Amino acid sequence: MNSGLFGGWVALVAMPFVLLIFKRTMPLPKGYRDAGPSLEELKEHLGKRGSAAEGKGAAIGAAVGVALCGVIGLMALAHYQRFANEPLAVAGQKLSWAIPMLFTVMAGGLAGTFYGLRRFLGEDYESYVRLSRLKANYCVDTINRYLVGLICGIVFLLCVHFFDNYTVFSKDTITLNPFFSLGVTTHSYSEVESIKVTESLQAPNGNIVPRHICEIRFTGGDVWNSDFGPSFEEDDTRLSEIEQMVSQKSHKRIEAVERMSR
């Protein structure tokens, strides 16, 4: 499984819990309710202007999010073009780029709403902020600012991970660039120490999962495992081609093992 893809979904699932933590740690200041207009007074003062400003802000945010998604799409296109002439390059799943795009739309929506509220409410913006705080009973505007920063950070890390994560099996060398190793390493085929292949994986919960996995170890200690980092979009044919080529060039026999564990 692509580690970036898995991490993206974990971050998405964790977002409600992060929001819950923010709510519990950012209550209204003591005496805030009595320090200004009441909830009813603010509702009467703003009327429908607040909802209209929210809608306009959301539209701006959506436009910003779509534009940024286009930028991420161009990054993805450039990433795959780097390996267009490498038949045995593993550059990850194209579907993975949908995750930073999703987070980009989320951040763009929040940021656009902030801009729209300030732009269309003018002097009444502070009244709207107070209204929102009183309705939610916590500093909702502060939390949203933190969320924008958090989401933008996730987008940046995911984009860097996908863009800087690939493996290339060329004619004379094997180039490994796993993001979390923070650097490219290149090995000749003479540095291959072992090639192990299995058709089953033992998951952390103990379940046995049928899966074609190849593990290549190098004399310097580096390990390439097809189950981590970039994944295969097609089928096992491409992975088998890699195994056979590495075996032929390194003169190392492919060892079949019963299973591997994650």
Side-chain angles (χ1 to χ4, degrees), residues 2 4 7 17 29 44 57 62 66 72 80-81 105 112 123 142-143 157 165 210 222 241 254 262:
N2 187 294
F17 297 99
E44 183 178 353
V66 170
I72 294 175
Y80 290 103
Q81 285 299 313
V105 172
E123 295 179 354
T142 305
I143 292 175
L157 290 176
N165 185 4
D222 277 350
E241 291 176 0
I254 298 175
R262 179 181 294 171

Side-chain angles (χ1 to χ4, degrees), residues 6 29 37 39 73 76 100 244 248 257:
F6 177 73
L39 181 64
Q244 294 299 324
Q248 292 172 5
V257 298

Side-chain angles (χ1 to χ4, degrees), residues 6-28:
F6 177 73
W9 285 117
V10 168
L12 187 62
V13 172
M15 195 65 68
F17 297 99
V18 173
L19 183 60
L20 179 62
I21 292 173
F22 281 159
K23 285 182 178 181
R24 292 183 177 276
T25 56
M26 292 188 183
L28 294 178

Side-chain angles (χ1 to χ4, degrees), residues 68-84 91-101 158-166 233:
L68 291 175
C69 284
V71 173
I72 294 175
L74 291 176
M75 288 177 59
L77 179 62
H79 177 56
Y80 290 103
Q81 285 299 313
R82 294 164 69 186
F83 313 108
Q93 295 178 329
K94 296 180 178 64
L95 181 62
S96 303
W97 291 87
I99 298 176
M101 288 182 180
L158 287 174
C159 285
V160 172
H161 175 66
F162 295 142
F163 199 74
D164 196 35
N165 185 4
Y166 60 85
E233 290 184 311

Side-chain angles (χ1 to χ4, degrees), residues 116-233:
L117 289 171
R118 288 184 177 276
R119 173 70 176 78
F120 299 112
L121 288 178
E123 295 179 354
D124 286 332
Y125 176 72
E126 294 302 326
S127 297
Y128 176 84
V129 170
R130 178 174 173 81
L131 174 63
S132 300
R133 288 182 172 186
L134 292 177
K135 288 171 66 176
N137 203 33
Y138 63 90
C139 299
V140 60
D141 53 308
T142 305
I143 292 175
N144 286 338
R145 291 190 187 96
Y146 277 112
L147 282 177
V148 169
L150 176 65
I151 295 170
C152 288
I154 292 173
V155 170
F156 174 77
L157 290 176
L158 287 174
C159 285
V160 172
H161 175 66
F162 295 142
F163 199 74
D164 196 35
N165 185 4
Y166 60 85
T167 304
V168 178
F169 296 87
S170 62
K171 181 179 179 181
D172 301 312
T173 59
I174 301 173
T175 301
L176 308 177
N177 191 23
F179 171 68
F180 295 114
S181 294
L182 300 176
V184 179
T185 57
T186 301
H187 301 276
S188 65
Y189 286 95
S190 61
E191 296 178 65
V192 173
E193 188 176 78
S194 65
I195 308 168
K196 295 182 179 180
V197 174
T198 187
E199 297 297 336
S200 64
L201 169 71
Q202 184 171 4
N205 61 6
N207 292 342
I208 305 301
V209 181
R211 181 172 299 172
H212 184 177
I213 301 173
C214 175
E215 179 186 273
I216 301 175
R217 291 186 175 270
F218 300 90
T219 53
D222 277 350
V223 179
W224 180 79
N225 188 307
S226 62
D227 194 45
F228 295 96
S231 301
F232 293 88
E233 290 184 311

Side-chain angles (χ1 to χ4, degrees), residues 84-114:
N85 297 322
E86 297 286 351
L88 290 181
V90 186
Q93 295 178 329
K94 296 180 178 64
L95 181 62
S96 303
W97 291 87
I99 298 176
M101 288 182 180
L102 174 62
F103 280 106
T104 297
V105 172
M106 292 168 60
L110 284 172
T113 300
F114 294 155

